[in-house]
Amino acid sequence: MSSALNVVQIEANRRNAEQSTGPRTEIGKKTSSLNALRHGLTARIVVLPTEDLAAYQQFSAEFLADLAPETFPERQCAQTIVDTQWRLNRVRTLEDGLLALGHYGPEGQIDPGHPEIHAALTAAAVYREHSQAFVNLSMQEQRLYRILTTASKSLEDMKAKRIAARQTELD
């Protein structure tokens, strides 16, 4: 019996999907194209539309110069490190933003008469109210940190092999 209901539901879903035409205006289309993009921590794009591309390019250039990759695989690995660090910085920005918003929301209405106590109580209230958001950010931060650690080790290994090969050639 449940499979018959399932078939009926699937058919109803198909009919409804045929009625959908999606967004019609340019603004609606642009907004719709970003529907899956919430925090950008798992997105394929590195620089979000709301971020400063020039700042990313400067960050990337300086970081790549410090990493000093020489071969194509080293450059690919170094770019992974740069992009992952950019995303890790975003996690910290999102956490700071959540806490800052608390000062303007109901959590910030606590007034103990002392600015440091106010900040501590507001932060605690924000964390209590939005604990799942902080947990999610922490999980993303851990995932990104693992990627960063793995890529850093890979880059160091590649560089060491390259340097050893050059030394062998010289000997």
Side-chain angles (χ1 to χ4, degrees):
M1 181 90 170
S2 86
S3 86
L5 285 176
N6 199 15
V7 170
V8 170
Q9 183 62 52
I10 290 171
E11 203 49 47
N13 289 348
R14 283 191 187 128
R15 283 192 307 274
N16 286 338
E18 289 172 1
Q19 300 297 317
S20 175
T21 60
R24 296 172 192 259
T25 65
E26 285 306 310
I27 293 173
K29 290 176 185 178
K30 187 174 181 179
T31 302
S32 176
S33 73
L34 298 174
N35 278 348
L37 188 65
R38 288 179 302 188
H39 44 60
L41 300 175
T42 58
R44 289 185 183 178
I45 60 169
V46 177
V47 182
L48 298 179
T50 56
E51 293 177 323
D52 184 355
L53 181 59
Y56 166 77
Q57 290 169 333
Q58 180 179 351
F59 174 84
S60 183
E62 289 178 19
F63 209 155
L64 284 172
D66 284 347
L67 293 172
E70 289 187 16
T71 66
F72 181 75
E74 287 177 11
R75 286 191 296 277
Q76 288 291 302
C77 195
Q79 192 63 56
T80 297
I81 293 168
V82 170
D83 294 347
T84 303
Q85 186 60 58
W86 181 262
R87 287 183 169 113
L88 274 168
N89 292 349
R90 185 181 304 135
V91 169
R92 294 172 189 135
T93 300
L94 289 167
E95 287 174 341
D96 291 345
L98 276 170
L99 291 170
L101 282 174
H103 288 280
Y104 297 101
E107 300 92 348
Q109 303 308 314
I110 305 165
D111 186 15
H114 191 279
E116 290 170 355
I117 295 172
H118 178 264
L121 290 174
T122 299
V126 168
Y127 184 78
R128 183 180 62 203
E129 186 67 28
H130 305 285
S131 62
Q132 190 58 51
F134 284 100
V135 168
N136 292 344
L137 284 173
S138 177
M139 287 179 4
Q140 292 299 331
E141 182 177 36
Q142 290 170 31
R143 182 187 66 80
L144 290 168
Y145 187 74
R146 284 191 303 272
I147 293 169
L148 182 65
T149 302
T150 302
S152 296
K153 177 152 182 18
S154 294
L155 180 59
E156 290 307 313
D157 290 348
M158 283 187 263
K159 284 177 157 183
K161 286 178 184 174
R162 176 176 41 83
I163 291 168
R166 280 188 187 160
Q167 188 60 43
T168 301
E169 287 176 13
L170 291 174
D171 293 342

